């Protein structure tokens, strides 16, 4: 055994500790066995049942305990067992890992125009790119289901037949008839409930609060599906706001729904893994999943998302995850496996200014989605809430009818949602909420709510204090929709930041995309605020979160996959990352919401997504089985376990290093060194995918502060006979430092393409820099083979 840890052993230790607490309590556990080498679903299921029977008195007991048999795309099962049985299974030689299924949570249009995918002809093209490609791409969406009647999911004109490779289906269910619901656009719809009900209790379907079917009773799934691949719909708006043509990133792409999330956005890992198993088998090209579990992150072999996405990647399927909504604190990013794409959230260039007038003399400007002219009195929070803290628990039980209440986020760290509920409960006419501008973004509210920054709110508070006799009259005017009037993008304050807490030498998030106040389809039977006190019915709704940025990227990936069907998931992610930009529309560094400072790669990854450039990136960084083997070795997998989970070409061996090495050596589009103690050399390999087979790329380097970065060779030559070239990067610390990250970049350009890789380095030394150490592999390099003359290229 060459790895540092044996997962089965660790599993037994961990599960044995659980036995101390409860030997008899049963929970849903997932038993992961790796690749499915049997290839026959029936035989695989029988094998799973046989394995499970070894910890039960009879096969019948085991059959009743079985939740899912993962039998199509990989091998494993989930079952309701106790900790003793789980520990016994974990100790078996054929088992890679056993872990308890957890409940994950959801991470909850002008955005496409903002990113350059507009409906005007591009260059000399007769029709826009979005409307001519995508028929052959299938996006699998893991979410809360779908409202199939939405115009977003109607067939686009002249759609081709469903791809012959598709093996999925639409299943019957409550208020969901496949014959009426599915078409050439929505080609698949499944739901997974067994794990959720065993872990959470029986589903509450009273009053259409949920449906035992692919139908969406939450709104989240409909919104994300519409964002990713929604058909083109004209004059879409939320109560007149944001009016325009709505469409997904790939409006002609096909959609397959896998409903794994239920009441309040809860998703069972057992159900998620079942969805991965069937989605891979069905033949999706992209999987979009806007959920996760906040840190502390579990090992990759104990995560259904990481296991499922790993096997999807091996089948050429790109898996796109949301980064999470735990920002702006560092190291809380989720979904950090190197074989999936992790997406942060940022703003677009659309605002909803709302004018506030006090006593017909003092004017302020806030933001809201206010539809009417409000005339009332402006009253301080202390009149209605003890200590001026706008929470229901602080209400003085006096009626606030006719009053617009001025509430501050401080003192008490009051959330805007808390203040809204409190003012609504007090029967207030409206709310002016004061908070830091870096944490403000417009959302759909249960009462008229205007957001203002701390400076304007303070002025209002001073004016109120001077109006001792009578409260001032306030006029709040209807909000407007404006574009291109404020810097964008800005990283969302809630977007989870890096570095990764489990693999800090791989940059996460990978990329950022629009995730603030995104307009997309919505079920008309669900209130736009998803609260019982909201009686409005809308077909389009605004939502914010990395849940919204994730499907933006999924749609773009579907478009790229349609244009480049042979590109691997790693190559597609590379195209997204190396073409991303880190300057806003004013050509300044993109700001980081929540801090109002310049963003860095831990906020925004490689940058903000640029779809048109990602379609033609010039060069790509691909990953091979050797890269994944190295990563798995570094994460404690044994050589035998790796052979059982990764598809290897015949004759290929797995050899883990005798000592754990850095994940920096993965051929990732970014380079991250979490602890630079001495000079290191790192290899990267790029492949030319541009239209010019014979091309020359020149390097430009921006070194992180305190680090000398050298690249060799500085010129890369590509030809018809040589489309792949390697280069080497040496990092030499030049300063004494303890734990500070600095940032730079390597940019390759041929005059037509710009291929940018972020550099993220933390120097961690106390003494002068030692001499450069050179890899043994470098000493045997043939310089002529790496750097041919121009004439020979």
């Amino acid at each position: 055994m060459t790895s540092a840890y044996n997962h089965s052993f660790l599993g037994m230790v961990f599960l044995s500790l659980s036995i101390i607490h409860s030997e008899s309590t049963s929970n849903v556990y997932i038993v992961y066995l790796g690749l499915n080498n049997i290839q026959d679903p029936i035989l695989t299921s029988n094998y799973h049942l046989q394995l499970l029977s070894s910890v039960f008195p009879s096969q019948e007991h085991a059959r009743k305990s079985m939740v899912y048999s993962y039998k199509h795309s990989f091998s494993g099962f989930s079952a309701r067992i106790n900790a003793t049985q789980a520990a016994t299974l974990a100790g078996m030689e054929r088992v890679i890992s056993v872990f308890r299924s957890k409940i994950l949570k959801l991470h909850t249009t002008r955005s496409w125009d903002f990113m350059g995918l507009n409906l005007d002809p591009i260059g000399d093209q007769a029709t826009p790119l979005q409307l001519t490609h995508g028929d052959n791409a299938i996006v699998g969406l893991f979410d809360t289901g779908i409202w199939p009647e939405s115009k977003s999911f109607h067939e686009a004109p002249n759609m081709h037949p469903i791809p012959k490779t598709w093996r999925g289906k639409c299943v019957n269910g409550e208020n969901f008839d496949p014959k009426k619901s599915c078409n050439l656009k929505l080609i698949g719809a499944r739901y997974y409930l067994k794990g959720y009900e065993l872990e959470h209790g029986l589903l509450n379907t009273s009053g259409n609060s949920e449906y035992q079917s692919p139908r969406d009773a939450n709104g989240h799934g409909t919104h994300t599906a519409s964002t990713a691949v929604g058909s083109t719909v004209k004059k879409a708006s939320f109560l007149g706001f944001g009016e325009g043509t709505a469409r997904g990133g790939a409006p002609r792409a096909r959609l397959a729904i896998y409903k794994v999330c239920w009441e309040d956005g809860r998703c069972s890992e057992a159900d998620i893994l079942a969805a991965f198993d069937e989605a891979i088998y069905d033949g999706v090209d992209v999987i979009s999943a806007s959920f996760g579990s906040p840190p502390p992150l579990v090992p990759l072999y104990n995560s259904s998302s990481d296991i499922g996405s790993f096997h999807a990647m091996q089948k050429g399927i790109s898996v796109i995850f949301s980064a999470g909504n735990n920002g702006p604190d560092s190291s809380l990013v989720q979904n950090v496996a190197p074989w999936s794409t992790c997406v942060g959230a940022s703003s677009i260039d659309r605002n909803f200014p709302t004018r506030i007038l006090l006593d017909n003399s003092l004017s302020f400007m806030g933001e809201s989605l206010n539809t009417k002219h409000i005339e009332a009195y402006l009253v301080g929070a202390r009149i209605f809430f003890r200590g001026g803290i706008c929470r229901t628990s602080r209400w003085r039980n006096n009626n606030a009818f006719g009053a617009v209440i001025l509430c501050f986020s401080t003192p008490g760290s009051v959330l805007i949602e808390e203040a809204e509920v409190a003012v609504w409960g007090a029967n207030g006419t409206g709310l002016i909420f004061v908070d830091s501008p870096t944490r403000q973004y417009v959302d759909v509210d249960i009462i008229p709510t205007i957001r203002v920054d701390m400076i304007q709110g303070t002025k209002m508070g001073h004016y109120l204090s001077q109006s001792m006799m009578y409260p001032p009259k306030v006029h709040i005017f209807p909000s407007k929709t404006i574009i291109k009037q404020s810097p964008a993008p800005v990283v969302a304050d809630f977007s989870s930041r890096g570095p990764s807490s489990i693999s800090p030498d791989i940059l996460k998030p990978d990329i950022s995309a629009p995730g603030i106040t995104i307009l997309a389809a919505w079920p008309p039977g669900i209130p736009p605020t998803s609260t019982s006190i909201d009686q409005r019915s809308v077909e389009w709704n605004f939502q914010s979160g990395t849940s919204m940025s994730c499907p933006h990227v999924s749609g773009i990936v579907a478009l790229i996959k349609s244009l480049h069907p042979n590109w691997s998931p790693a190559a597609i992610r590379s195209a997204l990352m190396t073409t991303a930009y880190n300057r806003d529309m004013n050509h300044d560094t993109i700001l980081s919401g929540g801090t109002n400072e310049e963003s860095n790669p831990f906020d925004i990854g490689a940058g903000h997504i640029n779809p048109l450039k990602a379609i033609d990136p010039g060069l790509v960084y691909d990953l091979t089985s050797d890269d994944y083997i190295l990563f798995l070795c570094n994460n404690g997998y044994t050589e035998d376990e790796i052979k059982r989970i990764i598809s290897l070409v015949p004759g290929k061996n797995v050899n883990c290093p005798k000592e754990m090495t850095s994940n920096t050596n993965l051929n990732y589009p970014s380079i991250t060194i979490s602890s630079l103690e001495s000079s290191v050399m790192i290899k990267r390999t790029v492949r030319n995918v541009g239209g010019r087979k014979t091309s020359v790329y020149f390097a430009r380097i921006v070194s992180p502060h305190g680090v000398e970065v050298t690249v060799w060779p500085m010129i890369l030559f590509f030809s018809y006979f040589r489309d792949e070239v390697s280069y080497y990067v040496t990092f030499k610390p030049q300063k004494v430092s303890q734990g500070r990250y600095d940032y730079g970049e390597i940019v390759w350009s041929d005059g037509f393409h710009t291929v940018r890789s972020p550099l993220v380095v933390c120097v961690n030394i106390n003494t002068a820099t030692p001499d450069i150490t050179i890899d043994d592999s470098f000493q045997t390099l043939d310089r002529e083979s790496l750097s041919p003359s121009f004439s020979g290229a």
Side-chain angles (χ1 to χ4, degrees):
M1 182 173 65
T2 60
S3 288
Y5 305 104
N6 180 289
H7 298 149
S8 298
F9 174 73
L10 285 177
M12 284 193 295
V13 172
F14 177 77
L15 292 170
S16 296
L17 293 174
S18 302
I19 298 171
I20 297 174
H21 299 285
S22 173
E23 261 190 50
S24 59
T25 302
S26 294
N27 294 291
V28 177
Y29 284 85
I30 293 171
V31 180
Y32 175 50
L33 304 173
L35 291 169
N36 184 1
N37 294 317
I38 299 176
Q39 300 299 323
D40 185 318
I42 296 176
L43 292 177
T44 302
S45 292
N46 290 339
Y47 171 65
H48 294 161
L49 183 61
Q50 180 184 3
L51 198 62
L52 183 59
S53 298
S54 65
V55 295
F56 278 97
S58 69
Q59 194 172 87
E60 186 60 29
H61 285 87
R63 184 176 285 107
K64 291 179 180 179
S65 170
M66 183 79 74
V67 180
Y68 290 108
S69 173
Y70 309 124
K71 59 196 176 192
H72 296 293
S73 309
F74 46 86
S75 182
F77 59 89
S78 51
R80 191 173 179 86
I81 55 179
N82 61 36
T84 303
Q85 294 167 315
T88 302
L89 288 168
M92 295 182 178
E93 185 179 354
R94 294 161 289 182
V95 174
I96 292 175
S97 62
V98 177
F99 56 97
R100 183 173 168 179
S101 175
K102 301 181 296 297
I103 294 291
L104 307 187
K105 290 284 288 183
L106 292 171
H107 293 148
T108 215
T109 279
R110 165 137 182 93
S111 53
W112 297 112
D113 292 331
F114 172 65
M115 293 191 293
L117 285 174
N118 52 52
L119 288 179
D120 299 320
I122 300 169
D124 59 356
Q125 289 182 208
T127 53
L129 190 64
Q130 282 182 297
L131 304 185
T132 57
H133 294 80
D135 282 59
N136 58 336
I138 303 169
V139 175
L141 195 92
F142 291 16
D143 216 294
T144 63
I146 192 168
W147 196 266
E149 293 80 10
S150 169
K151 294 177 183 178
S152 263
F153 312 120
H154 291 181
E155 296 174 2
N158 304 315
M159 287 196 80
H160 298 140
I162 296 171
K164 293 181 180 180
T165 55
W166 178 243
R167 293 191 285 190
K169 61 181 180 179
C170 289
V171 301
N172 277 298
E174 184 181 358
N175 203 13
F176 191 92
D177 183 353
K179 293 180 181 179
K180 296 179 180 178
S181 300
C182 294
N183 51 32
L184 292 178
K185 178 69 175 180
L186 178 59
I187 64 173
R190 301 178 185 268
Y191 67 100
Y192 305 85
L193 183 59
K194 290 190 287 186
Y196 175 82
E197 289 197 322
L198 285 171
E199 295 174 68
H200 185 267
L202 293 178
L203 191 69
N204 177 21
T205 58
S206 60
N208 293 333
S209 59
E210 255 298 357
Y211 303 97
Q212 290 195 27
S213 76
R215 181 169 290 279
D216 186 7
N218 178 290
H220 191 278
T222 299
H223 195 281
T224 54
S226 171
T227 302
V229 298
S231 299
T232 301
V233 181
K234 295 181 178 180
K235 294 185 177 180
S237 73
F238 173 78
L239 304 178
F241 296 111
E243 183 172 337
T245 300
R247 64 206 180 277
R252 295 189 67 86
R254 319 300 177 129
L255 176 63
I257 291 296
Y258 298 84
K259 183 176 178 180
V260 296
C261 301
W262 300 86
E263 302 157 302
D264 299 326
R266 297 185 179 95
C267 329
S268 161
E269 282 199 291
D271 295 335
I272 290 169
L273 206 53
F276 268 111
D277 184 37
E278 293 197 316
I280 297 168
Y281 173 80
D282 288 345
V284 302
D285 298 296
V286 183
I287 291 174
S288 184
S290 295
F291 50 68
S293 180
L297 301 181
V298 299
L300 299 176
Y301 46 82
N302 282 355
S303 162
S304 63
S305 296
D306 293 331
I307 291 171
S309 59
F310 181 77
H311 288 281
M313 173 275 299
Q314 293 191 83
K315 296 294 185 180
I317 301 167
S318 293
V319 182
I320 318 299
F321 284 115
S322 47
N325 297 341
N326 300 108
D329 293 338
S330 65
S331 300
L332 297 180
V333 63
Q334 305 170 31
N335 298 315
V336 297
W339 45 79
S340 59
T341 300
C342 174
V343 186
S346 49
S347 67
I348 61 174
D349 62 341
R350 179 175 58 197
N351 299 92
F352 303 93
T354 307
R355 187 182 175 215
I356 303 168
L357 186 63
L358 294 185
D359 282 341
N360 294 317
S361 61
L362 198 58
S363 182
F364 300 90
M365 191 64 71
E367 277 208 82
S368 179
L369 296 172
N370 179 45
T371 59
K372 55 189 177 181
H373 183 182
I374 299 172
E375 185 175 349
Y377 290 100
L378 182 65
V379 182
R382 290 182 181 275
I383 302 296
F384 298 99
F385 301 97
R386 295 188 302 277
I389 298 175
C390 294
R391 286 197 177 103
T392 301
S393 60
R394 296 273 186 156
W395 184 34
R396 298 183 187 273
N397 291 317
N398 47 351
N399 196 315
F401 179 75
V404 171
I405 301 177
L406 180 67
C407 291
F408 285 76
S409 60
T410 56
S413 298
V414 177
L415 300 176
I416 191 169
E417 295 85 358
E418 294 178 297
E420 281 186 52
V421 172
V423 173
W424 175 84
N427 199 29
T429 300
L431 165 67
I432 297 176
F433 189 76
V434 186
D435 199 359
S436 164
T438 61
R439 291 196 296 270
Q440 298 263 10
Y441 57 91
V442 174
D443 210 342
V444 181
D445 306 304
I446 59 175
I447 60 171
T449 301
I450 296 84
R451 296 149 175 82
V452 299
D453 61 35
M454 199 63 72
I455 295 173
Q456 294 191 95
T458 301
K459 289 180 179 179
M460 287 186 193
H462 289 169
Y463 188 81
L464 266 178
S465 65
Q466 296 168 8
S467 305
M468 301 300 294
M469 296 295 294
Y470 303 101
K473 277 194 172 183
V474 59
H475 291 266
I476 299 174
F477 296 90
S479 306
K480 298 179 180 180
T481 302
I482 64 169
I483 59 173
K484 298 183 179 180
Q485 297 296 310
S486 59
V490 174
V491 183
D493 71 297
F494 55 75
S495 184
S496 292
R497 270 57 166 189
S500 163
S501 58
I502 200 169
S503 49
D505 286 328
I506 297 174
L507 179 62
K508 294 289 176 174
D510 293 301
I511 200 82
S512 179
I516 296 179
T517 319
I518 301 302
L519 182 69
W522 193 257
I526 300 172
T529 59
S530 299
T531 61
S532 59
I533 60 179
D534 189 352
Q535 299 300 311
R536 292 171 294 180
S537 175
V538 297
E539 294 184 356
W540 304 90
N541 197 13
F542 288 113
Q543 294 274 283
S544 297
T546 54
S547 278
M548 283 64 249
S549 57
C550 171
H552 273 89
V553 175
S554 302
I556 294 166
V557 169
L559 203 59
I560 295 174
K561 188 73 174 178
S562 176
L563 289 159
H564 305 290
N566 296 323
W567 283 13
S568 71
I572 292 175
R573 180 181 57 230
S574 171
L576 298 175
M577 293 177 67
T578 60
T579 59
Y581 57 90
N582 57 4
R583 298 275 173 178
D584 64 21
M585 56 191 292
N586 293 335
H587 307 292
D588 296 319
T589 301
I590 293 172
L591 292 177
S592 175
T595 66
N596 214 25
E597 298 176 353
E598 292 185 350
S599 64
N600 62 56
F602 289 138
D603 302 321
I604 203 170
H608 194 272
I609 194 165
N610 189 332
L612 291 179
K613 287 189 178 294
I615 289 167
D616 180 22
L619 305 176
V620 295
Y621 296 80
D622 212 342
L623 290 170
T624 67
S625 59
D626 287 339
D627 292 291
Y628 295 119
I629 288 171
L630 174 65
F631 181 82
L632 294 171
C633 289
N634 288 340
N635 280 271
Y637 283 85
T638 67
E639 292 177 353
D640 179 62
E641 288 169 337
I642 294 172
K643 290 177 184 176
R644 287 189 278 137
I645 67 175
I646 192 168
S647 300
L648 297 172
V649 296
K652 175 74 175 178
N653 292 321
V654 174
N655 295 304
C656 287
K658 293 182 179 179
E659 296 182 2
M660 190 175 296
T661 61
S662 171
N663 288 322
T664 298
N665 293 305
L666 269 70
N667 197 46
Y668 218 69
S670 56
I671 298 178
T672 304
I673 305 175
S674 60
S675 182
L676 182 64
E677 300 176 359
S678 61
S679 296
V680 296
M681 179 176 291
I682 293 166
K683 178 183 177 182
R684 286 292 187 266
T685 301
V686 287
R687 186 171 73 249
N688 181 19
V689 295
R692 297 169 180 263
K693 298 299 181 183
T694 301
S695 56
V696 182
Y697 280 80
F698 297 86
R700 177 174 60 84
I701 305 166
V702 177
S703 296
H705 179 68
V707 181
E708 179 186 332
V709 178
T710 56
V711 173
W712 184 85
M714 289 285 288
I715 304 174
L716 302 180
F717 299 93
F718 298 91
S719 71
Y720 282 94
F721 310 102
R722 191 157 181 264
D723 65 350
E724 200 166 87
V725 176
S726 297
Y727 67 91
Y728 293 80
V729 188
T730 300
F731 294 83
K732 184 177 181 180
Q734 297 289 302
K735 65 174 183 177
V736 175
S737 178
Q738 285 293 320
R740 173 192 167 113
Y741 277 99
D742 288 290
Y743 314 98
E745 62 185 24
I746 297 174
V747 181
W748 293 98
S749 179
D750 64 347
F752 303 96
H753 305 91
T754 300
V755 185
R756 176 178 163 272
S757 291
L759 305 178
V760 181
V761 182
C762 179
V763 177
N764 193 11
I765 59 174
N766 293 311
T767 58
T769 306
D771 294 334
I772 292 179
T773 57
I774 298 179
D775 229 1
D776 289 341
S777 59
F778 178 71
Q779 297 176 11
T780 62
L781 289 176
D782 180 357
R783 290 175 180 263
E784 294 298 322
S785 67
L786 273 179
S787 185
S789 66
F790 181 74
S791 60

